[in-house]
Amino acid sequence: MAPDTHRGSGPSGPGQGSRIGVGAGGEPLIHPEVHLDGLRERHDASVDHAGTFDEAVEAIRESQRRGFRVTTNTTFFNTGAPQTVREVLDFLNDDLRVDQMMISPAYAYWKAPDQEHFLGVEQTRQLFRQAFADGHRRRWRLNHSPLFLDFLEGKADFSGTAWGIPELLGLRLAAPLLPDERQLRQHLQGAHQDHRLAGVRAGSDPRCANCMAHCGYEPTAVLATMGR
């Protein structure tokens, strides 16, 4: 299991961090995970802080120079287009040559100062369907199951999985940023022994109407891959 630690935040959530694991001999394995929400102008705008793109790129290159495995996490908003998705993933894949990349549509968490630029479910499906076309999906080193990528394109439909993402201080819900998380946690403990948010699909709950974030749906895709 690999809990994340983060520093910094923007409208899309946590900024940069690292993943911590344990090797076969008990030694700690740490690798940087860097949040990049686009190329320079788009990334700096999304985190509302100029210069962070250049800092992140410098950190990636220095980490690679020191022999670390480096992964990235990229959040997309309704300000993006299929071409901008391709541009940032091409940059990470071909120019920076990071080891693997995670992607996610932005989730409309209630504390975000900008509530106007989150993707809707149909917008998300159209964006990734077009970005992945013409073989692009297969050429990127994406750190996702094929079924989660199908989910982003609208080729698969999943419920969110509670308790699917381990963290340092506990287990995160499929919808970790709801203001009433404690009540939802208590409800899930008693009601869903199969660890699913039964019936809660993208667009079906008004509190999570546009959520297709990987923290809730990638665990379901992995379970589906294993036939569970």
Side-chain angles (χ1 to χ4, degrees), residues 6-68:
H6 298 283
R7 68 173 177 85
S9 63
S12 61
Q16 300 176 42
S18 61
R19 288 193 176 271
I20 306 171
V22 178
E27 73 280 4
L29 301 175
I30 301 174
H31 73 79
E33 181 182 286
V34 181
H35 204 108
L36 273 175
D37 285 343
L39 298 182
R40 183 178 288 104
E41 182 178 352
R42 186 172 299 275
H43 173 79
D44 287 357
S46 73
V47 299
D48 195 27
H49 191 81
T52 56
F53 175 85
D54 291 332
E55 291 178 5
V57 169
E58 181 180 352
I60 289 171
R61 287 176 170 155
E62 178 62 17
S63 297
Q64 291 171 326
R65 188 187 69 79
R66 297 187 181 206
F68 285 98

Side-chain angles (χ1 to χ4, degrees), residues 20 26 43-44 67 72 84 88 95 99 108 129 136-137 145-147 155-156 171-172 180 186 199 203 205 207 212 222:
I20 306 171
H43 173 79
D44 287 357
T72 57
T84 60
V88 65
D95 292 74
D99 291 275
R129 191 180 300 124
H136 282 79
R137 169 174 155 174
S145 66
L147 283 181
K155 297 178 180 177
L171 292 170
R172 179 161 53 181
D180 56 348
Q186 291 170 348
D205 187 308
R207 299 168 302 171
M212 296 177 71
V222 171

Side-chain angles (χ1 to χ4, degrees), residues 11 28 46 59 87 97 100 114 177 203 208 218 227:
S46 73
E87 286 172 355
R97 300 188 64 79
Q100 286 185 308
D114 180 358
L177 299 171
C208 311
E218 178 70 84

Side-chain angles (χ1 to χ4, degrees), residues 24-184:
E27 73 280 4
L29 301 175
I30 301 174
H31 73 79
E33 181 182 286
V34 181
H35 204 108
L36 273 175
D37 285 343
L39 298 182
R40 183 178 288 104
E41 182 178 352
R42 186 172 299 275
H43 173 79
D44 287 357
S46 73
V47 299
D48 195 27
H49 191 81
T52 56
F53 175 85
D54 291 332
E55 291 178 5
V57 169
E58 181 180 352
I60 289 171
R61 287 176 170 155
E62 178 62 17
S63 297
Q64 291 171 326
R65 188 187 69 79
R66 297 187 181 206
F68 285 98
R69 180 178 183 274
V70 181
T71 61
T72 57
N73 194 345
T74 301
T75 306
F76 294 100
F77 299 84
N78 65 9
T79 53
Q83 184 59 33
T84 60
V85 173
R86 291 180 179 183
E87 286 172 355
V88 65
L89 294 181
D90 282 346
F91 175 73
L92 295 171
N93 194 85
D94 301 336
D95 292 74
L96 286 184
R97 300 188 64 79
V98 300
D99 291 275
Q100 286 185 308
M101 300 166 284
M102 288 194 299
I103 58 177
S104 183
Y107 35 89
Y109 69 101
W110 65 291
K111 287 186 177 180
D114 180 358
Q115 293 288 327
E116 297 180 1
H117 294 106
F118 294 108
L119 286 159
V121 171
E122 290 306 320
Q123 286 178 301
T124 295
R125 290 169 176 165
Q126 182 176 1
L127 175 66
F128 287 105
R129 191 180 300 124
Q130 294 178 11
F132 290 165
D134 303 321
H136 282 79
R137 169 174 155 174
R138 293 190 297 273
R139 65 176 300 275
W140 295 315
R141 291 184 296 278
L142 296 174
N143 188 24
H144 290 293
S145 66
L147 283 181
F148 176 73
L149 299 178
D150 285 348
F151 172 71
L152 291 182
E153 291 191 66
K155 297 178 180 177
D157 185 23
F158 295 127
S159 298
T161 294
W163 325 113
I165 304 295
E167 288 191 333
L168 185 63
L169 299 178
L171 292 170
R172 179 161 53 181
L173 296 175
L177 299 171
L178 294 176
D180 56 348
E181 177 180 341
R182 184 170 60 180
Q183 290 90 335
L184 182 58

